[in-house]
Amino acid sequence: QVQLVESGGGLVQIGGSLRLSCATSGRTFSRDAMGWFRQAPGAEREFVAGISWSGGSTHHTDSVQGRFTISRDNAKSTMYLQMNNLKPEDTAVYYCAAQGGRPFISDLESDYDYWGQGTQVTVSS
């Protein structure tokens, strides 16, 4: 059974930091691109960051550029999202996702075949 399990979410103050992890099992994703999405209350799910199969290429959406960093460790079957200088508008459920059989970054939900259950990130003053 393929599983993607997020962890590391929580409550943090404005300007604080969190590091999300996405542990995968049941299938190797070492040759597949992966990504992070988020969904705020009342909003559509949106792309946050993506990473190629090797980790050599990354892409971050404009609103998190310079504050968030996506990375992966294929030896540990884990992907990360380091989030710094958090803002209230970053409050959302964060989902990790993996493509099946495609190595390059995409910001389209429809390109991702496997999803985690989500982890809540709340930024408060």
Side-chain angles (χ1 to χ4, degrees):
Q1 181 182 0
V2 177
Q3 286 191 311
L4 281 68
V5 180
E6 301 97 337
S7 62
L11 176 65
V12 64
Q13 291 187 330
I14 294 173
S17 298
L18 286 174
R19 187 194 196 201
L20 304 184
S21 298
C22 173
T24 69
S25 62
R27 183 188 188 281
T28 179
F29 291 102
S30 61
R31 294 192 178 277
D32 300 318
M34 298 183 69
W36 288 96
F37 289 76
R38 67 186 180 186
Q39 187 168 22
E44 297 288 320
R45 189 154 58 182
E46 65 173 355
F47 172 81
V48 176
I51 188 165
S52 64
W53 69 276
S54 66
S57 295
T58 62
H59 174 61
H60 300 78
T61 196
D62 288 347
S63 62
V64 308
Q65 183 71 43
R67 300 187 298 121
F68 291 10
T69 304
I70 189 172
S71 62
R72 67 190 294 170
D73 185 338
N74 286 340
K76 295 182 178 180
S77 300
T78 302
M79 179 178 65
Y80 305 96
L81 185 67
Q82 178 66 45
M83 305 186 295
N84 298 328
N85 190 20
L86 282 159
K87 304 176 179 180
E89 53 264 40
D90 296 318
T91 294
V93 177
Y94 284 71
Y95 299 90
C96 69
Q99 298 187 38
R102 292 181 291 276
F104 303 116
I105 299 169
S106 171
D107 60 1
L108 299 176
E109 279 191 59
S110 57
D111 282 340
Y112 291 83
D113 302 290
Y114 304 93
W115 292 82
Q117 81 289 349
T119 186
Q120 177 71 46
V121 172
T122 303
V123 184
S124 73
S125 56

